[in-house]
Amino acid sequence: MLKEINGTIYDTLTSTVDKKFTFGAPGDPFGYEETLYITNCGKYFVYTNGGISSKYPSENIVPIEREEVKNWMLSH
């Protein structure tokens, strides 16, 4: 997925996966995933996607500040 936010391009194909959390089994309508990426420029973002009944029924990208990464990981 590719998304431009405030002039910055976030791309799951050209960024590196740092950490991934998966909740539920594949095909579970309540299941979802959250994946932390880092861009080549050192910016972090979270890619989210899930089943139709999950908290992420469609894919999205949300930028995250470097200082917030530890808290994001601890919340899982």
Side-chain angles (χ1 to χ4, degrees):
M1 177 180 190
L2 180 122
K3 187 173 183 180
E4 181 177 350
I5 301 171
N6 297 327
T8 300
I9 301 293
Y10 298 93
D11 188 353
T12 57
L13 293 178
T14 61
S15 299
T16 303
V17 172
D18 190 321
K19 188 71 174 173
K20 182 175 184 173
F21 294 99
T22 302
F23 303 89
D28 179 357
F30 293 96
Y32 61 91
E33 65 181 44
E34 297 179 349
T35 308
L36 178 67
Y37 284 87
I38 186 168
T39 68
N40 294 335
C41 297
K43 295 185 180 244
Y44 287 91
F45 67 94
V46 177
Y47 166 82
T48 57
N49 194 19
I52 191 89
S53 299
S54 75
K55 67 183 195 176
Y56 304 116
S58 61
E59 63 182 346
N60 194 22
I61 287 177
V62 178
I64 184 171
E65 294 295 325
R66 182 180 193 92
E67 297 78 27
E68 298 174 72
V69 169
K70 184 176 179 182
N71 289 335
W72 179 83
M73 285 191 190
L74 291 174
S75 71
H76 294 86

